[in-house]
Amino acid sequence: MKMTNQDIVRTALFCVAILALICGVIVYIFVRDTPSLYLLTLLEFGQSDSLQSADETPSALLLFTGSLPTAVHTFAFTVFTALALGVSRRSHVVFACFFWAAINTAFEFSQVADVCPDLLILNQSLLGRVSCNYISAGTFDWLDIGSVILGSFAAYLSLIPICKKTGVP
């Protein structure tokens, strides 16, 4: 079966999203001073401090990389969702952008109170426990909100050119 140009672009976007997530995890592990990483906790690797504390990381690097994982998470999961929906309509892309922007923004704002919501406390699943750990260990940052917007917008700009020209918004 021969791949079309759109198939090649979709595959490339999927690979870029995977690489973006890998970069985000690397930043979390080596740069961010964080007591836990959502993915590693979910996979039950346990909690550990980053390999390099924030005191040892140059401030210019922290400014650039501090919110990078948030941006790449939003970008990557928006791309995955849009590709899963088929990217055949602009409305699918817009939905994916707003969906992941809303999810990431909700998680960021949940860190303001530093208290896990009752809904997650009552949910005794692994996902509920990990989410509570993430919320309690996290710190609200307006730069992360900006990164959510940036990641969502980057995904939108990446996905719109491959939408099929169906004439339907």
Side-chain angles (χ1 to χ4, degrees), residues 29-123:
I29 292 172
F30 291 103
V31 178
R32 299 259 317 238
D33 186 25
T34 181
S36 67
L37 176 60
Y38 194 93
L39 172 68
L40 296 182
T41 305
L42 186 61
L43 296 175
E44 298 182 353
F45 283 119
Q47 296 180 7
S48 64
D49 289 333
S50 64
L51 298 178
Q52 180 171 356
S53 76
D55 295 337
E56 300 168 6
T57 306
S59 59
L61 182 61
L62 278 176
L63 183 61
F64 173 72
T65 60
S67 296
L68 182 66
T70 304
V72 298
H73 178 271
T74 306
F75 170 81
F77 279 87
T78 298
V79 168
F80 295 149
T81 301
L83 291 174
L85 292 174
V87 196
S88 59
R89 304 175 98 168
R90 185 179 302 260
S91 59
H92 293 163
V93 173
V94 171
F95 169 79
C97 290
F98 278 111
F99 177 78
W100 282 105
I103 294 290
N104 282 293
T105 300
F107 264 93
E108 190 62 30
F109 274 109
S110 71
Q111 296 173 19
V112 170
D114 196 25
V115 176
C116 189
D118 289 339
L119 179 64
L120 290 177
I121 292 171
L122 295 174
N123 181 353

